[in-house]
């Protein structure tokens, strides 16, 4: 999964799938966000952006001479009035809102782990650690190739801007996830 900023002062996206398709969809999202801002002088609401992108992606599934996008995208925003918002758009163009979601390989296992968390009562810093733990726990070292953990966030801590997680929080989250994975491996060998 790759992370990308739609508009640093507005929101961010994480994508899973074909990177060339992801680039095309994220560029479309940036263009739609910029057009909306130019026309209305305010940032585009996430619901409007996901509806526009969903229609655009769906258009490519309807006509035989176009290839559907091979990408799922998560879009996150935060502001003082509405708080956090997370939307997912799948390759068919269907858009859904979530408190926590996963896309890409291993998404079902990740969703199961996310459902165990009480997301509404956790701080953003705590959630970063838990997300890292979920990513490490669903990664199968035998079947999957090596991955590099990349974490970005948007929230009150960032002033509503999408940015990479600071290095100290990143290191803490990575250590927490690796220790949790080692603990679960130790429990498996004890049985």
């Amino acid at each position: 999964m790759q992370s990308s900023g739609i508009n640093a002062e507005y929101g961010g996206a994480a994508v899973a799938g074909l990177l060339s398709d992801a680039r095309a969809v994220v560029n479309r999202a940036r263009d739609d966000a910029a057009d909306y801002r130019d026309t209305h002088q305010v940032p585009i609401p996430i619901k409007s952006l996901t509806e526009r992108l969903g229609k655009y992606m769906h258009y490519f599934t309807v006509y035989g001479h176009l290839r559907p996008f091979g990408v799922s995208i998560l879009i996150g925003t935060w502001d003082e009035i509405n708080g956090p918002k997370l939307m997912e758009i799948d390759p068919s163009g269907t858009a859904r809102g979530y408190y926590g979601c996963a896309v890409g390989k291993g998404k079902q296992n990740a969703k199961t782990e996310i459902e165990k968390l009480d997301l509404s009562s956790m701080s953003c810093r705590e959630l970063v650690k838990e997300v890292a733990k979920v990513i490490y726990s669903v990664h199968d070292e035998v079947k999957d190739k090596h991955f590099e953990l990349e974490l970005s966030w948007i929230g009150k801590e960032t002033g509503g801007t999408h940015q990479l997680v600071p290095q100290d929080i990143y290191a803490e989250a990575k250590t927490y996830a690796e220790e949790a994975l080692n603990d679960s491996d130790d429990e498996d060998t004890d049985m």
Side-chain angles (χ1 to χ4, degrees):
M1 186 161 17
Q2 291 286 111
S3 173
S4 176
I6 293 172
N7 178 340
E9 64 190 43
Y10 172 68
V15 295
L18 300 173
L19 289 182
S20 58
D21 287 358
R23 203 170 292 116
V25 172
V26 168
N27 285 339
R28 176 65 182 230
R30 287 178 178 146
D31 291 344
D32 283 353
D35 289 346
Y36 190 94
R37 182 182 274 288
D38 289 344
T39 304
H40 302 287
Q41 305 302 312
V42 294
I44 187 170
I46 189 170
K47 188 166 176 63
S48 296
L49 179 61
T50 54
E51 285 176 359
R52 287 180 181 203
L53 276 180
K55 288 176 185 175
Y56 176 70
M57 291 173 71
H58 179 69
Y59 177 82
F60 282 76
T61 67
V62 176
Y63 297 99
H65 65 282
L66 298 172
R67 179 182 63 80
F69 288 104
V71 66
S72 293
I73 183 169
L74 295 174
I75 301 174
T77 63
W78 182 88
D79 64 41
E80 289 284 346
I81 298 166
N82 299 313
K85 300 284 183 209
L86 178 66
M87 301 292 285
E88 177 209 3
I89 307 170
D90 65 22
S92 70
T94 305
R96 298 176 193 92
Y98 292 98
Y99 288 105
C101 185
V103 295
K105 188 174 184 180
K107 77 176 180 180
Q108 198 56 49
N109 292 338
K111 283 183 178 182
T112 302
E113 293 299 316
I114 291 169
E115 288 172 358
K116 295 176 185 176
L117 302 173
D118 183 13
L119 301 174
S120 61
S121 68
M122 299 175 83
S123 72
C124 211
R125 288 175 182 258
E126 293 169 329
L127 287 170
V128 166
K129 289 169 55 172
E130 292 299 328
V131 165
K133 179 180 162 186
V134 168
I135 291 170
Y136 272 90
S137 70
V138 300
H139 178 75
D140 186 350
E141 291 182 24
V142 176
K143 294 181 190 174
D144 300 334
K145 59 184 177 183
H146 176 72
F147 75 98
E148 183 178 330
L149 183 65
E150 185 177 301
L151 299 169
S152 64
W153 64 353
I154 184 169
K156 195 170 198 168
E157 289 88 349
T158 66
T161 60
H162 177 244
Q163 55 190 236
L164 290 175
V165 171
Q167 194 60 39
D168 59 327
I169 298 171
Y170 172 86
E172 183 181 336
K174 187 173 180 181
T175 303
Y176 174 78
E178 289 171 344
E179 287 174 358
L181 184 63
N182 291 336
D183 290 345
S184 69
D185 288 345
D186 291 344
E187 288 174 9
D188 291 343
T189 57
D190 290 344
M191 290 183 175

